[in-house]
Amino acid sequence: MSLADVGTLAAAIRAEVAKAVVGQDEILDHLLVALFAGGHVLLEGPPGTAKTFLAQTFATTLGLDFGRIQFTPDLMPGDILGSNLFNFQTSAFTLTRGPIFHELLLADEINRTPPKTQAALLEAMQERRVTLDGEVHALSDRFMVVATQNPIESQGVYPLPEAQLDRFLFKLLVAYPSAEEEARIVARYGEGRGAPKPADLGVRAVTHPAQLAAAQASLAQVTLADTIVDYIVRLVRATRESGDLVVGASPRAAVLLAGAARARAALDGREYVIPDDVKALATSVLRHRLMLSPVAEIEGKQVEAIVAAMVEGTEAPR
């Protein structure tokens, strides 16, 4: 598949999602980048901002097998992964697969479950496989986790550990819609009953597994120049030298940022990465990997502002 075809496919996906979801264009663009880069996404925003509906519509448009886990304090790792259960009829153990074996997994309110259960996702997110009773089970090459969390409530939640956060390519902040968008939402869904379903709104799959695999493979055509590599490295290393941060970004963050930049270039139909690709994705890749110093917290500084200043202060190649 040519890069021009990838751009055409991306436009078709955006148009199909827009049949059901009002606004959220930037979030959708990041979801597309994550899909092509093979990454996972953490969505943070207040309830009622279509985080779950967007993920469901995105999966429908791509023709992916969609699964959802509602995280709760009593959820156990086996509820996610599955388990081997003894079948008395056959006198043998049978694997009962958990929801993690879907292609696009929505981990809803992931911060409502204890770290032990959160960690059940680590192997799957990093290596796209699950180990149950010593036996390895491969997941789909298209396996992708879209997790959500509510930033408002602080009771009964368990902040994600750093190792878990580091597995997410992006952390995206889902804001309330504009007044115009909210009016369109109310006009479209105000007369409905119950939760809307993408299929009922005319959303159909615009691609299939073979085409999606070909589109993802086309990223090999995108060139990452040495000057861009140097730019990414300097930007990431700057996070470790800032007095406002006690924890900077790791080499993994630099690798993921480079891969995401290549995906963004491919979605635009370009054969090369430009500095604007890196600048557009830097905040989403880095915000959840950085930790403010106590002084910076007291002064009310925000990670996003610090990253923006670093992007502005790091000389980009011409």
Side-chain angles (χ1 to χ4, degrees):
M1 180 179 289
S2 69
L3 292 178
D5 293 334
V6 173
T8 302
L9 176 60
I13 293 171
R14 293 186 183 100
E16 198 69 17
V17 171
K19 291 180 179 179
V21 179
V22 177
Q24 308 291 14
D25 295 338
E26 185 177 353
I27 303 295
L28 177 57
D29 286 344
H30 278 75
L31 285 174
L32 281 169
V33 170
L35 173 73
F36 280 82
H40 310 286
V41 178
L42 176 62
L43 302 178
E44 181 177 283
T49 49
K51 300 185 293 297
T52 299
F53 187 51
L54 174 60
Q56 186 178 7
T57 305
F58 187 63
T60 301
T61 302
L62 296 171
L64 296 180
D65 181 28
F66 178 78
R68 175 181 177 179
I69 304 173
Q70 186 66 46
F71 280 76
T72 56
D74 60 348
L75 197 72
M76 300 298 291
D79 297 327
I80 298 173
L81 306 179
S83 58
N84 286 306
L85 300 178
F86 187 76
N87 188 326
F88 287 95
Q89 294 180 338
T90 61
S91 297
F93 283 93
T94 303
L95 174 63
T96 301
R97 298 193 171 203
I100 202 167
F101 285 92
H102 290 88
E103 291 178 316
L104 194 149
L105 177 67
L106 175 66
D108 213 358
E109 294 191 285
I110 191 173
N111 58 335
R112 287 202 172 277
T113 200
K116 180 180 180 180
T117 304
Q118 292 172 357
L121 291 171
L122 283 176
E123 181 183 15
M125 293 175 67
Q126 184 66 28
E127 302 176 30
R128 284 181 169 76
R129 69 180 192 184
V130 172
T131 303
L132 290 171
D133 295 337
E135 185 177 353
V136 175
H137 303 272
L139 299 175
S140 169
D141 292 336
R142 296 175 295 280
F143 176 71
M144 178 180 179
V145 174
V146 177
T148 71
Q149 63 180 16
N150 179 356
I152 299 175
E153 296 176 295
S154 58
Q155 293 183 343
V157 298
Y158 302 82
L160 295 179
E162 299 301 321
Q164 183 85 45
L165 285 171
D166 202 39
R167 264 60 177 190
F168 288 100
L169 171 60
F170 296 137
K171 178 181 177 182
L172 306 176
L173 305 183
V174 183
Y176 287 116
S178 65
E180 179 184 352
E181 290 172 340
E182 193 161 1
R184 288 165 56 195
I185 293 170
V186 174
R188 180 180 297 184
Y189 299 110
E191 297 180 357
R193 299 179 64 182
K197 297 179 180 179
D200 295 340
L201 298 168
V203 178
R204 299 290 183 267
V206 297
T207 184
H208 51 80
Q211 185 182 35
L212 192 56
Q216 291 171 324
S218 69
L219 264 67
Q221 304 173 37
V222 179
T223 301
L224 188 67
D226 291 341
T227 53
I228 299 294
V229 171
D230 177 67
Y231 176 53
I232 292 173
V233 170
R234 286 188 287 111
L235 179 59
V236 170
R237 291 182 69 86
T239 65
R240 304 173 206 159
E241 300 166 1
S242 171
D244 291 326
L245 302 172
V246 292
V247 175
S250 67
R252 176 187 289 163
V255 171
L256 293 178
L257 179 55
R262 293 179 69 220
R264 186 176 188 270
L267 289 166
D268 283 349
R270 277 185 283 106
E271 298 180 351
Y272 52 88
V273 177
I274 59 177
D276 284 350
D277 293 324
V278 179
K279 293 178 180 179
L281 301 173
T283 300
S284 300
V285 172
L286 297 176
R287 62 158 53 101
H288 54 296
R289 295 181 163 89
L290 309 178
M291 186 177 298
L292 291 172
S293 67
V295 174
E297 287 186 357
I298 293 173
E299 294 176 350
K301 294 184 178 180
Q302 300 292 324
V303 167
E304 289 80 7
I306 294 173
V307 173
M310 289 179 180
V311 170
E312 186 69 24
T314 303
E315 184 178 358
R318 299 178 181 273

